[in-house]
Amino acid sequence: MNRNAMKLTPQGDREIVIERSFDAPRDLVFEAFTKPELVKRWMLGPDGWSMPVCTIDLRAGGRGRYEWRNADRSTGMSLNTVFKEVVVPERIVHTERFDPDWAQGEATVTTLFTEKNGKTTVTIKIVYAAADVRDMVLKSGMDEGMARSYERLDDVLKK
Amino acid sequence: MQSAQHLDATFAALADPTRRAIIARLTQGEASVMELARPFDMSQPAISRHIKVLEQAGLVSRGQEAQRRPCRLETGPLAEATSWLDYQRELFEARFQRLDALLEEMKAERRTTAKRKSTARSRKDVRK
């Protein structure tokens, strides 16, 4: 099967935009994104991960919960969402927060579904609460060393 | 090159935001469990469990100092999962490939249902 290319683009300092087309009409793609029994089949982690729990109350103010487990069930993660705007089958805006909660706060996610010639393009815009969440983790050694120096400088200046 | 299994362990460890935050903190230098627990609204045992996962993935090692046993970052396994953006890219690619397959199934199902309906309709027409 011919695979559609995915685009993942950082925007500004706290956003990423993901775009991907699917060879299916929009209402099917929308269903696959919003019906728990379908979501459980693809919205997974690395190989071997599963989603034993998925609940979606698809309406403004409704909540969603997604729970993942790895193959030997030694580790897992979950995500709580609140739907802000739901326009079937075009547009979903939701906020999401990982459980257990983490210091960096919640992200706002806008998912758009557009259909053209029987193909559906899904555009997902994720806005993180803070810039460092997006860029967090693992810079090159030099960046890291420099960041550390600047942080120390910050500490010194604060005193 | 790491084995796929090892990479899975790295991703599994990084899939959790608390653990990512712990890693981010450790890029600034080693820290004790107590120091790592401080910014979170979490108990020390809960943080210890996260650290254990990071240790098992080879991302964090513990010092020998009896009481404090400071945690430090092991950068080796991270070299392949170079950045969080790369990680996100990989995660979404894999998800969307699964979604491709699911949509093919859904389309096939819809075609079958449509055919069944039209057959039923023509039978009704015959009866008329």
Side-chain angles (χ1 to χ4, degrees):
Chain A
M1 198 176 28
N2 217 355
R3 236 175 239 161
N4 292 302
M6 184 187 87
K7 274 193 282 184
L8 189 154
T9 327
Q11 247 175 36
D13 65 352
R14 59 190 194 104
E15 278 179 43
I16 59 174
V17 178
I18 297 163
E19 198 184 291
R20 171 70 142 79
S21 292
F22 298 93
D23 298 323
R26 179 164 73 169
D27 61 322
L28 284 191
V29 179
F30 191 87
E31 261 184 47
F33 267 81
T34 52
K35 285 201 169 157
E37 69 273 21
L38 298 174
V39 171
K40 280 178 172 182
R41 291 181 52 191
W42 68 270
M43 206 183 278
L44 305 172
D47 283 349
W49 281 64
S50 65
M51 189 190 278
V53 176
C54 176
T55 56
I56 296 173
D57 181 11
L58 191 67
R59 58 186 170 89
R63 288 170 189 279
R65 181 164 170 92
Y66 308 76
E67 286 180 33
W68 292 271
R69 284 270 152 216
N70 71 343
D72 65 4
R73 306 204 148 238
S74 62
T75 183
M77 59 183 274
S78 30
L79 184 72
N80 289 312
T81 67
V82 179
F83 296 103
K84 299 291 173 191
E85 198 188 326
V86 177
V87 185
V88 183
E90 290 167 25
R91 178 184 158 88
I92 300 170
V93 182
H94 74 263
T95 55
E96 61 181 37
R97 193 182 273 271
F98 283 89
D99 180 21
D101 199 5
W102 54 319
Q104 283 84 355
E106 65 183 19
T108 303
V109 183
T110 304
T111 310
L112 294 176
F113 303 82
T114 48
E115 186 180 318
K116 202 179 171 187
N117 303 326
K119 276 184 92 158
T120 302
T121 302
V122 178
T123 312
I124 305 171
K125 186 173 89 171
I126 308 174
V127 183
Y128 294 96
D132 63 341
V133 181
R134 195 197 72 184
D135 295 327
M136 207 167 59
V137 191
L138 334 176
K139 295 172 181 162
S140 74
M142 202 180 96
D143 283 349
E144 199 184 297
M146 277 172 63
R148 219 181 294 170
S149 318
Y150 284 129
E151 272 153 22
R152 287 210 194 96
L153 182 60
D154 278 346
D155 289 345
V156 172
L157 292 173
K158 261 182 240 157
K159 276 171 196 162
Chain B
M1 266 277 279
Q2 287 185 73
S3 68
Q5 206 180 357
H6 202 135
L7 205 54
D8 269 3
T10 308
F11 283 143
L14 290 175
D16 181 87
T18 304
R19 293 196 285 273
R20 286 204 297 272
I22 290 172
I23 297 262
R25 164 63 188 84
L26 290 175
T27 61
Q28 297 167 31
E30 58 177 47
S32 68
V33 174
M34 209 165 75
E35 285 162 346
L36 288 172
R38 209 169 290 146
F40 299 101
D41 188 18
M42 277 173 98
S43 65
Q44 269 197 46
I47 289 290
S48 291
R49 277 196 294 276
H50 282 301
I51 291 167
K52 190 143 273 170
V53 175
L54 291 169
E55 263 187 281
Q56 280 162 355
L59 291 163
V60 163
S61 63
R62 305 284 305 268
Q64 291 309 309
E65 252 174 89
Q67 277 298 303
R68 199 167 158 263
R69 300 207 58 208
C71 302
R72 67 177 71 93
L73 191 61
E74 294 295 328
T75 48
L78 296 177
E80 269 198 51
T82 40
S83 76
W84 183 74
L85 274 186
D86 286 344
Y87 165 69
Q88 288 289 58
R89 186 171 285 121
E90 197 153 324
L91 181 69
F92 276 100
E93 294 263 21
R95 283 180 174 179
F96 290 156
Q97 280 164 28
R98 274 190 218 105
L99 179 53
D100 279 334
L102 172 62
L103 287 167
E104 287 307 312
E105 259 182 56
M106 291 170 74
K107 281 195 304 192
E109 209 169 293
R110 175 171 282 186
R111 276 194 298 271
T112 319
T113 317
K115 208 188 270 173
R116 225 178 279 142
K117 266 188 197 152
S118 73
T119 318
R121 214 175 296 135
S122 50
R123 273 201 207 110
K124 231 183 258 167
D125 290 344
V126 170
R127 252 180 271 143
K128 269 181 201 165

